[in-house]
Amino acid sequence: MPTMRNHSHFSAHFKRVAKITLTASMLVLTSLSSHAITLEQLQKNLSSELLVRGDFEQQREMAMFEQPLISSGQFLLSAKKGLWWHQTTPMPVSLVLTQDKLSQQFDNQPAQILTASDNPMVFYFSHVFLSMFKGDTSQLTEQFELSLKTLKDSKTHNQWQLVLTPKTAPLNKVFSKISIEGSQFINKLELAEIRGDKTLITFSQQKTTPTALTSEEKRVFQF
């Protein structure tokens, strides 16, 4: 049976532990709030690099298929030229998007080139996704409700998640929400469709050098 002295000692010890716990909790909250990123900072961070190259893997889950459709390849994002999406498996596909044109080539077939007047809807959706890759939040706010939060990441301490909820047609007729996660670069893009299909794209091996386009890359954007 505990004595009064033991009880007093336990009470004092409990108070010290509680005080330490409360202090630690306040430090964690302060740390999170001090590292919270704003939409303006996110756009500035993502648009600061003129060139970004990397690998991607895409998994698409569709109701009509039991297994996800998986593809992979490399991408190049140029602030001045646009986006080159170079799928290598399961079959070669090259998609190049510039400010006013879209080129798509399957395997060794001739490239199909579209402009906004040729197919306004395809061009519209393509440029919405280009805004996502560039982190152009000023453009995205016209089409989506944006929710940005900081995620805990032991390595970088600046992991973030941006959730986009479509506001108007045609986007809200296709997507229920779009989620983007990243730190210095975009690491994950998830598209949830109204009908239940989902697409998950993960990015890796992102780099910003060399800082100029190679001769081959320059040719890709010339069409």
Side-chain angles (χ1 to χ4, degrees):
M1 183 174 180
T3 64
M4 287 295 294
R5 182 178 179 181
N6 289 337
H7 178 76
S8 298
H9 178 74
F10 174 80
S11 178
H13 177 70
F14 178 81
K15 288 179 180 179
R16 285 197 299 270
V17 172
K19 185 176 181 180
I20 293 171
T21 303
L22 178 60
T23 303
S25 300
M26 291 177 66
L27 287 172
V28 169
L29 291 173
T30 303
S31 176
L32 287 175
S33 62
S34 65
H35 286 88
I37 189 171
T38 65
L39 288 173
E40 291 78 10
Q41 290 171 332
L42 176 61
Q43 178 169 335
K44 183 179 179 180
N45 292 346
L46 292 179
S47 62
S48 62
E49 303 294 349
L50 296 179
L51 285 175
V52 179
R53 300 173 179 85
D55 300 334
F56 73 87
E57 180 180 90
Q58 176 175 300
Q59 296 186 38
R60 179 159 173 76
E61 297 180 3
M62 304 179 68
M64 65 180 68
F65 298 108
E66 293 185 359
Q67 300 295 326
L69 305 178
I70 300 176
S71 59
S72 61
Q74 293 79 43
F75 75 92
L76 164 64
L77 180 63
S78 167
K80 294 182 178 180
K81 296 294 185 179
L83 175 67
W84 180 21
W85 194 257
H86 185 205
Q87 176 183 304
T88 54
T89 57
M91 63 175 292
V93 179
S94 177
L95 186 149
V96 184
L97 178 63
T98 67
Q99 188 62 35
D100 56 359
K101 289 189 228 178
L102 172 65
S103 171
Q104 189 169 17
Q105 183 178 19
F106 293 90
D107 207 352
N108 294 321
Q109 299 178 12
Q112 299 176 348
I113 300 175
L114 297 175
T115 64
S117 58
D118 295 328
N119 196 323
M121 192 59 63
V122 169
F123 215 76
Y124 169 77
F125 276 96
S126 298
H127 274 271
V128 168
F129 286 107
L130 184 57
S131 296
M132 293 181 194
F133 283 109
K134 289 183 175 181
D136 191 348
T137 57
S138 60
Q139 289 290 326
L140 294 175
T141 51
E142 297 179 6
Q143 314 293 339
F144 301 91
E145 296 288 347
L146 305 185
S147 174
L148 177 64
K149 66 179 180 179
T150 303
L151 303 177
K152 183 178 180 181
D153 184 273
S154 59
K155 294 182 179 179
T156 64
H157 301 289
N158 63 348
Q159 192 83 2
W160 50 264
Q161 180 188 60
L162 179 63
V163 177
L164 299 86
T165 305
K167 294 192 290 189
T168 57
L171 289 168
N172 65 355
K173 303 299 182 183
V174 179
F175 301 105
S176 57
K177 72 173 183 178
I178 298 171
S179 177
I180 308 172
E181 292 184 15
S183 53
Q184 180 184 0
F185 306 107
I186 293 176
N187 298 326
K188 183 191 301 183
L189 173 64
E190 186 170 0
L191 311 166
E193 298 181 25
I194 296 292
R195 61 185 180 183
D197 296 346
K198 291 183 180 181
T199 301
L200 174 63
I201 307 174
T202 53
F203 302 94
S204 60
Q205 306 299 319
Q206 296 101 317
K207 59 182 181 179
T208 58
T209 56
T211 56
L213 294 173
T214 65
S215 299
E216 178 189 0
E217 292 168 346
K218 289 179 180 178
R219 285 195 295 270
V220 167
F221 288 102
Q222 294 173 351
F223 61 92

